[in-house]
Amino acid sequence: MDRLLNRRLVLQLSAAGAGVLVAGRAFAGTVYAAPPPLAKKDTYTVGFAQTGLTNPWRLGESKSMQDEAKKRGYTLVETNANEDTAKQIADVDSLIAQKVDILIFPPRETQALAPSVLKAKAAGIPVILIDRDVDHSIAKPGEDYVTFIGSDFVDQGRRAAEWLTKTMNGNAKIIELEGTTGADPAILRKQGFDDYLKGTFKGTPTAGGPQTGMQIIASQSGDFVRDTGRKVMQTLLQSHPDVTAVYAHNDEMAIGAISALEDAGKTPGKDVILVSIDGENAAMDAIAAGKLGASVESSPFFGPIAFDTMDKYVNGEALPAWIKVEDRFFDSSNAKDFQGKQF
Ligand code: AHR
């Protein structure tokens, strides 16, 4: 929660006109040098270190970055870490060695990739983080990197918990399928969900006290991958056949869990209620079919906002430490309208 409070504090300070450098002081009481500047040029070479291309979300994010770079006549140098953190660190090193003008990327793990941000800064290359953030105790927005652009992952978890609590009338035995261990969305989506159920969520709206009937009976990583989610669910079903609800940190794992439930002779949407996050096409289909209950949006379409932010940075505009992306909510009331229109 500290990181969330820090982010909010910085936003408040920035909104009050304090600027990112002053906002940076709020973290540690020290004045830090700003991120490296980016001179005005006709075109830029942008390094984009993708975590992997193993799910529709990642494919959607890469396409959005490629389309936007093309539209602006910028060169995008994209790497693919194949969901291997060490490879993403090496990819960032390689992009730094190639002397790209700027790095825009989603750090696969929040702590492991923070030193890469510092390396880029030391090499004079500004960094904009999209989708996932790094640990602010290692690298700070507004000081070590320009800004973080992304969703409020804690609130996504809170919204999933609120929907599930209402749908289950406050009584459920929940299996939680977590995202990649050490990744910002896995840590914070869990935090938001847990805090809501414990009645300790600090944002608004708050839960009306602890939801004692809502029990998380098992929680395990499915690495944000459909087949891993299916296998983890298959195993957990053996020790927890009494499960009545599933909270998956992304749609792909929820779809995997649906397969595992069906293989075990259960009816998703009736015997077991599922909620997840992302809003991909397969999730819209699963909601329309009554198998998935709801999905909180987490959009992968960062291209336009990432490049707009880069241009603002070039023009010397003040930027907040966190540029928050607003997320919609998909359930049986609207999923049909979005079928085939997502990613
Ligand atoms: O960082 C965002 C998460 O990463 C998405 O929810 C997930 O699908 C992706 O792999």
Side-chain angles (χ1 to χ4, degrees):
M1 182 54 80
D2 274 359
R3 293 180 56 220
L4 178 68
L5 289 175
N6 283 344
R7 285 179 179 177
R8 289 211 168 119
L9 180 58
V10 169
L11 271 178
Q12 281 164 9
L13 287 167
S14 300
V20 287
L21 194 60
V22 177
R25 288 189 188 138
F27 285 107
T30 315
V31 180
Y32 294 90
L38 186 54
K40 271 195 189 174
K41 298 203 292 183
D42 288 342
T43 186
Y44 295 91
T45 300
V46 178
F48 173 51
Q50 180 56 288
T51 64
L53 292 169
T54 50
N55 71 28
W57 199 98
R58 293 282 143 209
L59 293 168
E61 185 181 52
S62 280
K63 185 168 183 322
S64 174
M65 289 293 287
Q66 290 157 10
D67 288 352
E68 199 61 27
K70 198 169 166 196
K71 213 161 100 185
R72 291 165 194 250
Y74 297 172
T75 302
L76 191 77
V77 184
E78 179 172 353
T79 56
N80 173 5
N82 296 316
E83 294 303 339
D84 175 342
T85 298
K87 166 90 165 68
Q88 194 185 29
I89 292 169
D91 288 345
V92 173
D93 284 347
S94 152
L95 291 167
I96 293 171
Q98 290 173 53
K99 297 191 186 342
V100 294
D101 293 309
I102 185 168
L103 273 161
I104 304 179
F105 72 99
R108 184 168 190 273
E109 289 183 51
T110 182
Q111 292 192 342
L113 267 298
S116 302
V117 170
L118 300 180
K119 269 194 231 170
K121 182 186 182 187
I125 299 173
V127 172
I128 293 174
L129 296 180
I130 54 168
D131 149 35
R132 298 184 186 181
D133 203 355
V134 290
D135 187 330
H136 290 182
S137 70
I138 307 172
K140 295 172 176 59
E143 297 167 19
D144 300 315
Y145 58 103
V146 176
T147 186
F148 165 65
I149 308 171
S151 294
D152 184 338
F153 293 136
V154 178
D155 201 52
Q156 290 177 344
R158 192 272 307 167
R159 293 172 80 187
E162 187 178 43
W163 180 88
L164 195 60
T165 303
K166 283 188 185 145
T167 304
M168 302 301 292
N169 294 318
N171 277 296
K173 291 188 191 308
I174 307 159
I175 287 182
E176 179 175 6
L177 297 175
E178 299 174 26
T180 301
T181 305
D184 198 31
I187 298 165
L188 300 178
R189 285 172 184 169
K190 180 172 186 60
Q191 183 185 316
F193 190 85
D194 289 1
D195 284 353
Y196 181 89
L197 296 190
K198 284 189 218 143
T200 54
F201 187 80
K202 299 257 174 8
T204 47
T206 52
Q211 301 293 329
T212 50
M214 299 288 288
Q215 296 168 13
I216 300 174
I217 54 172
S219 187
Q220 200 172 310
S221 175
D223 208 15
F224 284 133
V225 175
R226 183 185 292 205
D227 202 47
T228 313
R230 182 185 64 76
K231 286 178 184 147
V232 170
M233 188 68 199
Q234 210 168 39
T235 306
L236 291 176
L237 265 173
Q238 283 164 19
S239 41
H240 302 283
D242 54 340
V243 58
T244 59
V246 170
Y247 165 45
H249 289 193
N250 79 346
D251 290 339
E252 283 292 284
M253 293 189 295
I255 306 284
I258 286 171
S259 298
L261 287 163
E262 287 175 336
D263 290 349
K266 292 192 187 280
T267 307
K270 288 203 173 71
D271 302 330
V272 179
I273 304 298
L274 296 98
V275 63
S276 60
I277 296 170
D278 272 359
E280 65 178 35
N281 278 321
M284 298 304 119
D285 295 345
I287 294 173
K291 297 182 179 188
L292 176 63
S295 180
V296 183
E297 183 178 39
S298 196
S299 171
F301 302 126
F302 282 96
I305 192 167
F307 284 92
D308 280 352
T309 302
M310 172 186 158
D311 288 346
K312 284 181 183 167
Y313 190 61
V314 169
N315 291 326
E317 283 183 41
L319 293 165
W322 179 17
I323 298 173
K324 189 166 149 182
V325 174
E326 298 298 332
D327 300 315
R328 295 169 293 184
F329 191 86
F330 306 109
D331 61 12
S332 59
S333 69
N334 62 353
K336 282 194 175 66
D337 302 337
F338 293 94
Q339 278 180 286
K341 296 184 180 149
Q342 297 292 95
F343 47 92

